Amino acid sequence: MRFFSHILTTLGVLLAFASLLFTVVVGLITSESGSSDLSTSIWALVFMFYLPTFLLLFFGHRIRRNLRLKLEAASQPVQQPRPVQVIQPPPQQRVETRTVINVVESKPAPAPKKAVSVSVECKGCGARKAVIAGESSPCDYCGSPLTARG
C-alpha cells in the first residue's frame, strides 16, 4: 500500500510539471497567433490535466498519512484499563407491611337493672326525697339519714 501511495504521488508531481510546461507553451503559442477559439480549447485541455494531478497528489498523501497513523497507534503501548469500581447503594432493610383487620365480636354487656327509687319521708323535718331501694342517703334539708327499704 505504501508503494502504491508513492506511485500516485510521483505521477501527480510529474503530471503537475507537465501541465505547467504545457500551460506555458500554450500561452506562448496563443499570444503569438491571437486566435481565441484555439486558446479556449487549449485552456480546457490544460484544466483537464490539473484535476487528475490534484487527485493523484491528494490520494497518494492520504494513503501515506493513514499508514503512518496506524503505525503510530501500533507502536504506542496499550494502557490497561483501570478496573471499574461499581458503587452500590447500601442495602436497605425490607419492611413487611400487612394490613390486618381483626373483627372482634364481643357479647353485649347485660343491661344494668333499673334501680327502683322509693320516695322516703324524713323523720326529722318531714321532707320527701327519692332514694334508691336498699341504699341510704342524707336529707337535703336537715341532713338526717334516709333509708329506703326495698
Side-chain angles (χ1 to χ4, degrees):
M1 201 62 158
R2 190 175 194 90
F3 180 71
F4 183 66
S5 70
H6 285 294
I7 289 175
L8 287 178
T9 306
T10 305
L11 286 176
V13 170
L14 289 176
L15 195 56
F17 284 129
S19 299
L20 185 62
L21 182 63
F22 185 69
T23 304
V24 171
V25 169
V26 169
L28 291 174
I29 292 173
T30 55
S31 65
E32 291 176 2
S33 67
S35 165
S36 65
D37 290 336
L38 180 65
S39 69
T40 305
S41 62
I42 292 175
W43 282 112
L45 287 172
V46 167
F47 286 115
M48 285 175 36
F49 281 115
Y50 281 118
L51 180 64
T53 301
F54 170 75
L55 291 175
L56 288 170
L57 289 172
F58 175 76
F59 286 114
H61 173 71
R62 187 171 174 181
I63 290 171
R64 275 197 316 280
R65 186 190 62 188
N66 288 343
L67 288 173
R68 184 178 64 240
L69 290 176
K70 285 181 185 178
L71 287 175
E72 287 176 3
S75 66
Q76 291 179 354
V78 178
Q79 293 180 352
Q80 296 294 328
R82 288 190 279 168
V84 178
Q85 294 179 352
V86 178
I87 299 173
Q88 295 180 349
Q92 296 181 355
Q93 293 180 349
R94 184 175 177 156
V95 177
E96 287 190 33
T97 58
R98 292 188 201 168
T99 303
V100 179
I101 299 174
N102 289 332
V103 178
V104 178
E105 293 184 24
S106 62
K107 296 179 181 178
K113 295 181 181 177
K114 291 186 179 180
V116 179
S117 63
V118 179
S119 180
V120 179
E121 185 178 337
C122 179
K123 293 182 182 174
C125 66
R128 294 195 81 56
K129 182 176 179 184
V131 178
I132 297 174
E135 292 184 9
S136 65
S137 173
C139 176
D140 291 335
Y141 298 104
C142 66
S144 299
L146 301 173
T147 305
R149 295 187 183 142

